[in-house]
Amino acid sequence: MQRNVGVWLDHRHATIVSVRGKQVETRDIYSQVEPRVRSTGGSRCAPGAGPGDIVSESRRDARISQQLERYYGDLLRAVAGADRIHVCGPGEAKRELSKRIIADRELAPRLIAVEPCDRITRAQFVARIKEVFGVPIKRMARA
């Protein structure tokens, strides 16, 4: 039976919906990427702070890059056994993940779509992935 996977992601969090037949499983992966902090003011140190208290931007950017690499690696492992992969999300993260999927010889032919998608609830995302992969959606009966 085919395993179809939908991934909604941004740089902080990913929701993975796995569909096999009519069975649906969801899983969350968190990135552990530290938030970008923008300092205001000049480049002077605060009173009592020394040169060792300042972290250079290049070191911080390198650390964030390593954290994102780990995050995308976790996501690639999560979708590794999928027959078809659908990726969506609000920003650059979906494109970054799709580039990594395309670079992988085994996963590249399985990527069926990359689409923009705003923040949505888990239930909305599950319904969207069911629709994409042709799984019947249970509708509530109206009284």
Side-chain angles (χ1 to χ4, degrees):
M1 188 171 295
Q2 273 196 335
R3 177 176 173 241
N4 300 313
V5 174
V7 181
W8 181 97
L9 76 154
D10 60 17
H11 283 124
R12 302 213 181 276
H13 164 256
T15 299
I16 299 171
V17 176
S18 184
V19 179
R20 267 199 189 128
K22 292 183 180 182
Q23 182 181 2
V24 177
E25 295 176 14
T26 59
R27 176 179 170 201
D28 292 312
I29 295 179
Y30 294 90
S31 71
Q32 307 301 321
V33 173
E34 60 194 56
R36 292 191 184 262
V37 177
R38 185 169 195 270
S39 57
T40 58
S43 61
R44 297 183 188 195
C45 295
D53 295 330
I54 298 174
V55 178
S56 72
E57 276 188 54
S58 62
R59 288 179 70 193
R60 187 185 70 236
D61 289 345
R63 188 171 53 244
I64 288 172
S65 180
Q66 289 174 346
Q67 291 167 340
L68 283 172
E69 283 300 319
R70 247 179 283 146
Y71 176 53
Y72 292 128
D74 292 344
L75 292 174
L76 287 176
R77 282 186 290 282
V79 302
D83 295 303
R84 295 188 299 172
I85 304 167
H86 181 89
V87 177
C88 61
E92 288 297 311
K94 68 180 172 294
R95 285 188 215 47
E96 292 171 12
L97 178 63
S98 67
K99 285 179 188 176
R100 285 167 174 80
I101 290 172
I102 291 168
D104 186 303
R105 285 184 165 194
E106 286 186 31
L107 292 178
R110 300 174 188 175
L111 182 64
I112 61 167
V114 178
E115 69 176 350
C117 179
D118 288 332
R119 292 195 179 273
I120 57 176
T121 66
R122 177 186 298 269
Q124 289 171 324
F125 183 56
V126 168
R128 173 71 181 125
I129 293 305
K130 283 181 172 183
E131 179 184 351
V132 166
F133 294 122
V135 177
I137 301 171
K138 292 181 183 176
R139 303 270 185 211
M140 298 290 289
R142 293 185 185 206

